[in-house]
Amino acid sequence: KQEVTQIPAALSVPEGENLVLNCSFTDSAIYNLQWFRQDPGKGLTSLLLIQSSQREQTSGRLNASLDKSSGRSTLYIAASQPGDSATYLCAVSGANNLFFGTGTRLTVIP
Amino acid sequence: AAGVIQSPRHLIKEKRETATLKCYPIPRHDTVYWYQQGPGQDPQFLISFYEKMQSDKGSIPDRFSAQQFSDYHSELNMSSLELGDSALYFCASSNSYEQYFGPGTRLTVT
């Protein structure tokens, strides 16, 4: 069964810093990888999707990379803002469902 | 743009009661997924449907059943509710690689 791990579990940074969130998965036979943002008690907002044939995707201050062979993905957030505070989840796609990581809880301190 | 609609948004039930959660996918999306997210946990895949047929099954208890109807909406039926069923239930829809998530239904079993 696919296992997805995210490191660190929690991260606090001062506003303006650049940061990297890490995601690793055990089975490299994936269709794609998605990064989500979740605010407390709220739904999942898709941030970026990387297909298995791609190596990275960018959206605004966010950049996600994928190294399928090593089972790793990173989410880079540039110039962090207090509004970025949330839990970030990565999820890898099997044939018919998503396997979610444990999440990284990010706090950006003003 | 239209998003995934879930109803109800909040539901309170007592132990041993039944509950029905509804999901209305984005128009022209043919695949629906159900996920359960317990407190402080990552979302766990329950079940998915493609073109009204079950396409994959995850950690869905036997007390739960689901179906997708001719208009592509889906319902998750939960019987003999237990305290441990208290969670946020997400529905997602897709017509390709990316899953789009609804806001979730928060079920509380007392």
Side-chain angles (χ1 to χ4, degrees), chain B residues 50-70:
Chain B
Y50 169 69
E51 284 291 346
K52 294 154 279 185
M53 299 288 289
Q54 179 180 311
S55 55
D56 201 0
K57 197 171 182 180
S59 51
I60 183 169
D62 292 340
R63 300 175 289 107
F64 294 7
S65 65
Q67 58 182 322
Q68 186 179 30
F69 294 85
S70 58

Side-chain angles (χ1 to χ4, degrees), chain B residues 30-97:
Chain B
D30 50 21
T31 308
V32 168
Y33 310 80
W34 286 98
Y35 295 85
Q36 177 192 58
Q37 186 177 29
Q41 299 181 357
D42 53 284
Q44 295 291 318
F45 170 71
L46 294 178
I47 195 167
S48 62
F49 293 88
Y50 169 69
E51 284 291 346
K52 294 154 279 185
M53 299 288 289
Q54 179 180 311
S55 55
D56 201 0
K57 197 171 182 180
S59 51
I60 183 169
D62 292 340
R63 300 175 289 107
F64 294 7
S65 65
Q67 58 182 322
Q68 186 179 30
F69 294 85
S70 58
D71 64 351
Y72 294 98
H73 93 274
S74 178
E75 294 183 6
L76 177 65
N77 299 293
M78 310 158 73
S79 62
S80 303
L81 288 169
E82 302 174 357
L83 296 178
D85 296 329
S86 295
L88 198 52
Y89 290 83
F90 289 109
C91 168
S93 74
S94 171
N95 66 351
S96 61
Y97 307 108

